Structure formats: C-alpha cells, structure tokens
Amino acid sequence: MRNNKQPPGMNAATVYVKHRHGLSHVRLRETLSGYLLVAPSLLGFLVLTLFGIVFSLAMAFTDWNLLKGVDEANFIGLKNFKDMFSDVYLRASIRNNLLLLLVVPISLFLSAVLANVMNRAIYGKGGARALFFLPYVTNMVAIATVWQALFHKSRGPINVLLMILGISEEALPGWLSSSKWALLGVAIVLLWKNLGYNILMYSGALQSIPKDYYEAADLDGANAVQKFFHITLPQLKPTSFMLTILGIISSLQMWSFVQIITNGGPGTATYTVGLYIYRSAFITYRTGFACALAWVLCFAIMIVTVFRWRTERKYENE
C-alpha cells in the first residue's frame, strides 16, 4: 500500500509552495538558457542593425560628411529633405525606378505561364526549371559582363541577329550606350534574372491546387486558357502577393547591378534611387543627405507594402 502520510511538520500548503518553487526554478533556468542561446544574434542585431538605423535617422538631419567624422556634423533640420525637391538626379532616379517597376508584373505573368506549362507531364521539365533558375544564383558581375557583350552595338549577338532579320545598321538599338535604350536593356536583364525564382515559387504553389477544379472545368467544356485565367491565377494569388512585395522591394532597393552594368549612365538614363544613395554617401560624401534619402526610400517601400497588403485583404473579404 502507498504511504500517503506527509512528513512530520509539513502540511499541504507547504508541499504546494515547495512544488511551485521548484517549477519556478526550472522555468528560470530554461529562460536563462534561452536568452544565452539568442544572445549572440541579439547582440549582433543591436550593434550592426538597430544602432545603424537609429544613427542614420539622427544623421539625416545633419550635413555629415563621411570623411570629416561625426564630430564635424552640424544639425541642419529638414534641409536635406527640402533639397530633394529640387534635385534633378533624384527626379531621374525616381522616374527610372517607377519604369523598372513594370518588370514586376510582366515577370510574374510570364513566370505563371511557364510554371503552368512545366507543371504538366512534359519531357525535360526538371532540366528546364534548373536552367531558368541558374541566372538567379549566378554572380552579378558575371551576369553584367556577359550582357554588356550581348548588348554591344556593332558586334553584340543581339544586334547581329537583328541585322540578319533585316534591320538596317542605322536603326539598330544602342542598348547600354544609348540614353534611349539603356533602361530597356537593364529591364530585360532583370526580367531574365528573376524569371527562374518566380517560376520555382509558382511551381511549388501549383502542386497545392486541387485537381477537382480542373476536372470540373473539363466537364463544363473549359479550354486551357479559360482554366488558366479562372482557376490557376486565382489560386496563385497568395504566392503572387508575396512575389509582388519582394519584387517591388528589390526593384526600389536595386543599385549594385546598375552600378556594374551602366554605372547609372549614359547621363542619368539608368540612375536608381539606391544607386543615388550609394553615390551620395561614398562618392560625393554627402552622407547626411544619403541618410535622409534612405529613410525616404524606407517609407516609400512601407507605403507600397501596406497598400498592396490592404488591397489583397480587401479582395479576400469580398
């Protein structure tokens, strides 16, 4: 038989208090262990990220020059933000960024079509997906170098092909060397580079669409185009929403690729806001102005993201 007698001098309340004390001690040790595990990442975030964010916000209201140090920074209030309204480089950068945003919907639509085609039982679709995804993981410098050769006005393969098709040499596009064609050339490369990632994401999303929808559409006599627009695209909306946000953020932040392939030229034909922030901070050393620009870009991305999110929520609730 079990001995249910309590030790001498201990009542039920004492046992309960000691039990709670033991549990509290265990929970405290678990909490401390958890904090110790995340401490390195938390410390890195505080030093490398949070400090930089707060510091850049403070410097946005100064005339800080990176070469002169923080001690020489003078508080100038909203002057950096006021100067943006009359800055021709910034206006050109915003115009180019808005035009490059058109790449996002075009890329998403083409990716959805190609993913839908490769989702069927066709030969070599695994290899085709790998080839489409390869540019996304290729080094940016290598991509820029190859496309500079492809876009060469007189000896580039693209213009050679256009001449074979009957276009005269005088009518050939100047591509990266022409202020009229340079932005289009950059857009083509970005479309080619991001296509594979979008196809990969859409291919995964297509696997979750119930086959019953397509079988019911077949019974109703729907063709492939009707099924794509009325079944496939609506079912891909969550993935499209995510890829739209990522594409917009990536497009607005882009600067390294443009710096490598055109350096913003000819003139300001391919300037972007990200490239202008970089040049302001590390080329002309208007670092305070660059901080102000970075915060304006941050708020622009936030507004676009919130707008897209609210649009998506409104569509889902209808």
Side-chain angles (χ1 to χ4, degrees):
M1 294 180 63
R2 296 178 60 183
N3 184 12
N4 293 326
K5 292 183 178 181
Q6 298 175 353
M10 294 188 65
N11 53 28
T14 305
V15 173
Y16 176 75
V17 170
K18 288 192 173 184
H19 177 68
R20 288 294 302 270
H21 179 73
L23 287 177
S24 299
H25 184 67
V26 171
R27 289 173 181 170
L28 179 61
R29 285 193 303 173
E30 291 178 349
T31 302
L32 290 176
S33 299
Y35 278 119
L36 287 174
L37 289 173
V38 301
S41 297
L42 183 61
L43 182 63
F45 171 77
L46 292 175
V47 174
L48 302 176
T49 303
L50 186 60
F51 172 77
I53 292 173
V54 176
F55 181 77
S56 68
L57 179 60
M59 291 299 104
F61 300 96
T62 68
D63 60 353
W64 180 35
N65 184 320
L66 185 63
L67 295 180
K68 294 182 179 180
V70 181
D71 296 337
E72 298 294 329
N74 300 309
F75 180 78
I76 58 174
L78 298 176
K79 186 178 184 304
N80 286 329
F81 297 93
K82 293 177 180 177
D83 290 344
M84 295 179 191
F85 292 99
S86 58
D87 196 307
V88 294
Y89 290 97
L90 181 59
R91 286 203 296 266
S93 301
I94 293 174
R95 179 199 64 207
N96 295 335
N97 268 118
L98 292 176
L99 291 174
L100 288 175
L101 282 177
L102 296 176
V103 173
V104 177
I106 296 173
S107 175
L108 293 184
F109 180 76
L110 290 178
S111 301
V113 172
L114 292 172
N116 189 55
V117 171
M118 288 187 283
N119 192 50
R120 302 176 182 179
I122 59 175
Y123 177 76
K125 63 180 181 180
R129 285 174 180 166
L131 288 175
F132 275 114
F133 187 71
L134 187 61
Y136 186 78
V137 295
T138 303
N139 181 270
M140 187 70 73
V141 177
I143 290 176
T145 303
V146 170
W147 278 95
Q148 282 175 338
L150 291 174
F151 279 138
H152 195 279
K153 185 173 182 180
S154 58
R155 299 186 299 273
I158 294 177
N159 278 357
V160 170
L161 178 61
L162 293 177
M163 291 177 66
I164 293 174
L165 294 176
I167 298 178
S168 64
E169 187 174 354
E170 293 76 15
L172 288 175
W175 297 117
L176 302 181
S177 61
S178 168
S179 58
K180 179 181 177 181
W181 294 95
L183 193 64
L184 177 60
V186 171
I188 291 173
V189 180
L190 292 176
L191 177 64
W192 169 80
K193 184 180 184 299
N194 295 324
L195 207 60
Y197 178 78
N198 295 338
I199 289 174
L200 184 67
M201 300 302 295
Y202 276 134
S203 296
L206 285 170
Q207 307 303 317
S208 62
I209 300 178
K211 302 298 181 184
D212 298 342
Y213 294 168
Y214 295 103
E215 293 173 359
D218 289 332
L219 293 176
D220 291 337
N223 56 37
V225 176
Q226 291 172 327
K227 287 188 287 186
F228 177 75
F229 282 99
H230 295 285
I231 298 177
T232 304
L233 284 184
Q235 292 296 314
L236 292 177
K237 284 192 69 66
T239 304
S240 298
F241 170 72
M242 180 197 69
L243 292 177
T244 300
I245 296 300
L246 294 177
I248 291 173
I249 293 175
S250 176
S251 180
L252 292 176
Q253 291 180 333
M254 178 184 58
W255 66 273
S256 58
F257 171 70
V258 175
Q259 183 191 22
I260 295 169
I261 195 168
T262 63
N263 199 25
T268 58
T270 56
Y271 252 70
T272 63
V273 176
L275 178 62
Y276 190 40
I277 292 173
Y278 167 79
R279 293 182 65 86
S280 297
F282 303 107
I283 304 298
T284 60
Y285 298 109
R286 299 172 63 197
T287 318
F289 181 73
C291 291
L293 272 178
W295 275 98
V296 170
L297 178 61
C298 175
F299 281 112
I301 292 174
M302 184 178 66
I303 291 171
V304 171
T305 303
V306 171
F307 175 77
R308 183 68 179 89
W309 178 73
R310 286 185 175 274
T311 305
E312 184 71 14
R313 290 288 299 273
K314 182 179 179 181
Y315 178 86
E316 291 176 355
N317 293 332
E318 289 179 352

